[in-house]
Amino acid sequence: YNTISHLPSYAKWLANQDMKTTVIWHKKFLQHMQYGVRNLPKYSKTTWLLKTPFYLHTLDSLLDIYPDARIVWMHREPKTHMTSLCSMTTFFNGMISDDLDWSVVGRTNFDFWVDVFKRAMKARKKIPVKQIFDVKYDDFASDPVDMARRIYSHFGIAWTPQGEKAISDYVESTRTREKHKHRTNIDYGFTDKDIENVFGEYRQKFL
């Protein structure tokens, strides 16, 4: 609801909730889907690969429910990342509303993600080093195949020629994909200075 509708009171409430029951439901849902393909050879030994920034919101509960989870944390310049998140949110908001104030929606989104981020940074201190791998977005973008190889190595996953070819083929297939142009931070109700005040220490450590 927080992504498709502008609900500031809900966003404020959600940012401070214990997400453990949500992650428990999440696991049951994955088990439900996996049960349906359990007898298909293609999926008999596969591993779930899940990608969304919303997992930052559940990081403090994630390893309680998935104790053997392996986490890849992508680090992107916050000035770019926050603009991208706000762009996504306002896009979905605009699908159900003709009265959209970009700066109000953007600022609500900014405040929500700042709360989530602070919570995630605190939670990651409890994660064993062997279960988390930090990736700079620029390094990934410049050589995604090499970064994938490094991720596999960190987690002790076998790297095969077949896997490398599949990743290389996918990368090539997306090189000509048109990139979406976002509005500026000012359009979304916050400034570069706001970001620097919140993410200064993070940027020094991870970027």
Side-chain angles (χ1 to χ4, degrees):
Y1 302 121
N2 192 40
T3 302
I4 63 175
S5 300
H6 181 228
L7 303 169
S9 59
Y10 173 74
K12 186 175 182 179
W13 171 86
L14 181 64
N16 294 289
Q17 295 308 300
D18 182 350
M19 301 301 290
K20 190 168 185 176
T21 55
T22 301
V23 181
I24 291 173
W25 182 89
H26 178 276
K27 181 177 181 179
K28 289 181 178 179
F29 190 74
L30 289 184
Q31 289 173 327
H32 169 73
M33 290 194 292
Q34 190 160 338
Y35 181 83
V37 297
R38 68 193 188 284
N39 294 322
L40 299 178
K42 180 179 178 181
Y43 300 105
S44 62
K45 296 182 180 180
T46 55
T47 299
W48 282 102
L49 178 61
L50 308 169
K51 172 186 174 292
T52 172
F54 286 98
Y55 285 120
L56 289 176
H57 194 194
T58 67
L59 202 57
D60 52 355
S61 300
L62 198 66
L63 291 181
D64 289 338
I65 311 304
Y66 298 106
D68 57 348
R70 292 170 289 198
I71 300 167
V72 177
W73 188 320
M74 181 79 75
H75 300 288
R76 189 178 184 185
E77 167 56 54
K79 294 177 184 179
T80 304
H81 186 50
M82 290 304 304
T83 304
S84 177
L85 286 171
C86 288
S87 178
M88 177 187 69
T89 301
T90 50
F91 171 78
F92 285 118
N93 279 199
M95 294 176 67
I96 61 174
S97 175
D98 295 325
D99 183 19
L100 191 64
D101 188 324
W102 293 82
S103 63
V104 173
V105 174
R107 185 69 208 197
T108 299
N109 200 47
F110 176 82
D111 292 341
F112 170 78
W113 281 106
V114 166
D115 287 341
V116 168
F117 180 82
K118 289 179 178 178
R119 178 173 173 170
M121 288 297 290
K122 182 179 179 180
R124 71 165 284 150
K125 295 178 181 179
K126 303 176 183 178
I127 301 175
V129 174
K130 66 180 181 179
Q131 286 184 252
I132 188 168
F133 186 77
D134 295 299
V135 175
K136 291 182 180 181
Y137 177 84
D138 289 343
D139 291 344
F140 173 79
S142 64
D143 194 342
V145 176
D146 179 65
M147 184 57 68
R149 187 185 294 110
R150 290 165 58 187
I151 292 170
Y152 273 55
S153 176
H154 178 80
F155 293 125
I157 304 172
W159 181 262
T160 66
Q162 296 89 341
E164 179 168 350
K165 183 178 185 306
I167 295 173
S168 297
D169 289 348
Y170 176 78
V171 170
E172 286 302 318
S173 73
T174 60
R175 285 196 185 280
T176 58
R177 186 179 297 173
E178 183 178 355
K179 291 181 170 50
H180 178 69
K181 293 182 179 180
H182 302 298
R183 292 173 179 250
T184 66
N185 291 341
I186 296 296
D187 292 324
Y188 293 121
F190 56 91
T191 66
D192 286 353
K193 188 64 177 178
D194 292 329
I195 292 178
E196 291 168 4
N197 289 338
V198 174
F199 296 100
E201 183 178 349
Y202 163 80
R203 294 171 73 198
Q204 288 184 354
K205 185 174 182 179
F206 293 107
L207 296 174

